[in-house]
Amino acid sequence: MRFTLEKLIKADRQRVFDIIANYENLDKILPKYFPSIRVRSVRENTAVVEEHVKFGNKEYIMMTKHITKYPESHEVFVIGGHAKGSHFVENYEKDGQNTKLTINVDFRLGRFENIIRRTDIKSDYNLVIDELIKIAEG
């Protein structure tokens, strides 16, 4: 399932990036959605991370690769576990004193795809992003 989210956030680009792309601390920032995050390795701007994620009433355990270009972009590849093959690209653009966040999502569920309604995935993902935006704007 592919979709794009665009958000205008009332906060400085560095602050928005520091909150939303902070994969190392998502379990502390939003434990409701990220019960467990374990960084397995980091080399320069690339990290491999073991993630336990909750979207709606479904839980996913994944191995992910994060590539960051501070504070412009954050790219996530799901390299193992649930949703293997999924790809998320976050772009952070200055818009005056605000930040325009564009997220391109290619969410692949494989055998789980028939169980979950496609609209639920987009709305659940949007809900998580909105929670992170509230923190960034706070």
Side-chain angles (χ1 to χ4, degrees):
M1 167 177 204
R2 292 182 181 183
F3 58 91
T4 299
L5 298 176
E6 288 188 2
K7 305 283 186 174
L8 186 62
I9 305 166
K10 297 174 186 163
D12 170 79
R13 178 168 73 160
Q14 284 82 1
R15 174 164 172 76
V16 172
F17 190 94
D18 288 345
I19 299 293
I20 295 175
N22 189 350
Y23 60 85
E24 298 167 309
N25 293 303
L26 286 173
D27 56 340
K28 294 168 189 68
I29 296 169
L30 282 180
K32 174 180 172 182
Y33 299 108
F34 301 93
S36 173
I37 300 289
R38 193 165 125 192
V39 178
R40 304 296 290 181
S41 72
V42 178
R43 289 197 180 100
E44 296 178 14
N45 66 333
T46 303
V48 174
V49 181
E50 189 177 299
E51 302 183 27
H52 180 184
V53 181
K54 289 184 178 180
F55 285 143
N57 61 356
K58 300 291 179 195
E59 295 185 29
Y60 305 93
I61 298 174
M62 305 176 283
M63 189 66 73
T64 58
K65 180 168 85 169
H66 294 255
I67 301 172
T68 56
K69 184 176 178 189
Y70 186 82
E72 299 154 8
S73 66
H74 175 222
E75 194 166 3
V76 181
F77 297 88
V78 180
I79 57 176
H82 298 117
K84 182 178 180 181
S86 295
H87 183 216
F88 307 81
V89 180
E90 303 166 0
N91 289 301
Y92 300 78
E93 297 175 54
K94 284 184 180 183
D95 188 349
Q97 298 212 351
N98 299 320
T99 302
K100 180 182 174 189
L101 171 63
T102 305
I103 306 173
N104 292 304
V105 176
D106 181 5
F107 200 79
R108 299 181 184 203
L109 293 172
R111 63 188 174 115
F112 294 104
E113 198 158 13
N114 295 329
I115 299 170
I116 302 170
R117 292 188 346 237
R118 290 175 179 262
T119 54
D120 288 345
I121 296 167
K122 185 175 179 179
S123 64
D124 291 343
Y125 187 81
N126 194 51
L127 182 64
V128 173
I129 296 301
D130 285 346
E131 294 270 341
L132 288 166
I133 288 170
K134 284 180 196 172
I135 294 166
E137 289 181 336

